[in-house]
Amino acid sequence: MRCPLPCLGLAAATLTLPVLAADGDTPLLEVIVTGRAPASLTVPDIDAARAELATVPGGAGVVEAADEQRGRSSTLQDSLGFATGVFVQPRFGAEESRLSIRGSGVQRTFHLRGIRLLQDGVPVNQADGGGDFQVLDPLALEYTEVWRGANALRFGAATLGGAVNFISPTARSPAGAGSRLHFEAGSHGYLRPFASYGAADSQRDGYLAISGFAQEGFREHAEQETWRLSGNWGERLGAGVENRVWIGAVNSNSELPGNLTKAQMRRDPTAAAAGNVALD
């Protein structure tokens, strides 16, 4: 009879089996079998993600969010800046960034091109392939999967530039369990508050996070303000069956100062481009 650990209601278990000799009386050795059930059936933990990506013959890897969140966690550059083959450059210091994997789409100035961006497996890209990075919160992540080049074809045939899948915490994961507070402050009005809470029992778990991002910017017409609400709710319906619902809401307002000529920059590096100010 085989019973997985979740049906026993256990997160981990150790079973000791004495092995007897042919006469049935003399124990020869002791076999210890140790197992651990997954924290969530719908969201693989980082060890499971590493094991899966290790089977990919091409370029793929995992970035653990905990490593990046020890320092500043403002934009995607802080989350993916050290990922192999990934180039991230924020526009004018804003959350909106240029994202390139192995040189794909490096000529474009904003939004996405040729790269599939996902959160918990759900595409962030719009129908034309473009998308906004403001929907993603670097602080509300468990880990990030990076699929470089053609390895991302599993997410769609138009993603020759690669794919990045951001995985959210659950109340059953180390990053989502209990309460967490995070606060950053800096020059030019930079503020980055974050708060989250997660709770779970044997059948249900819930995680909720709220965060803000604000800065006045070094230049004129560079003020930004973003508020995000994200979370998920999971319920185990039986042995090996789990349902999970994700929620997310984002309110983002970004003023981009635009480009200056060399002469304009030398005259006043804090100025904004006239066209950007006129068109707001």
Side-chain angles (χ1 to χ4, degrees), residues 60-146:
V62 175
V63 179
E64 187 173 2
D67 295 337
E68 311 301 330
Q69 293 169 359
R70 291 189 179 97
R72 186 189 70 172
S73 189
S74 175
T75 66
L76 285 183
Q77 187 178 43
D78 301 318
S79 302
L80 296 174
F82 296 102
T84 304
V86 180
F87 173 79
V88 184
Q89 184 183 52
R91 293 186 70 207
F92 315 112
E95 290 182 303
E96 185 181 57
S97 305
R98 300 173 64 194
L99 177 62
S100 173
I101 300 179
R102 289 180 172 175
S104 63
V106 75
Q107 80 284 359
R108 55 105 180 95
T109 58
F110 63 95
H111 290 300
L112 296 168
R113 179 179 295 172
I115 297 176
R116 179 62 63 88
L117 209 64
L118 309 103
Q119 185 169 17
D120 300 302
V122 179
V124 174
N125 306 66
Q126 300 172 2
D128 62 354
D132 293 314
F133 296 94
Q134 290 90 328
V135 69
L136 299 165
D137 190 348
L139 287 172
L141 296 176
E142 180 78 17
Y143 61 88
T144 303
E145 299 175 343
V146 179

Side-chain angles (χ1 to χ4, degrees), residues 137 139-140 180-183 192-196 207 209-212 230:
D137 190 348
L139 287 172
R180 178 184 169 211
L181 297 175
H182 181 101
F183 183 78
R192 187 77 164 89
F194 175 87
S196 68
Y207 171 81
I210 183 171
S211 69
S230 59

Side-chain angles (χ1 to χ4, degrees), residues 187-209:
S187 58
H188 307 293
Y190 174 76
L191 295 173
R192 187 77 164 89
F194 175 87
S196 68
Y197 180 76
D201 57 24
S202 60
Q203 283 188 301
R204 302 173 184 85
D205 65 271
Y207 171 81
L208 187 67

Side-chain angles (χ1 to χ4, degrees), residues 185-191 214-219 222-224 270:
S187 58
H188 307 293
Y190 174 76
L191 295 173
Q215 66 178 7
E216 297 174 1
F218 168 72
R219 299 171 59 190
E223 185 176 351
Q224 298 176 67
T270 67

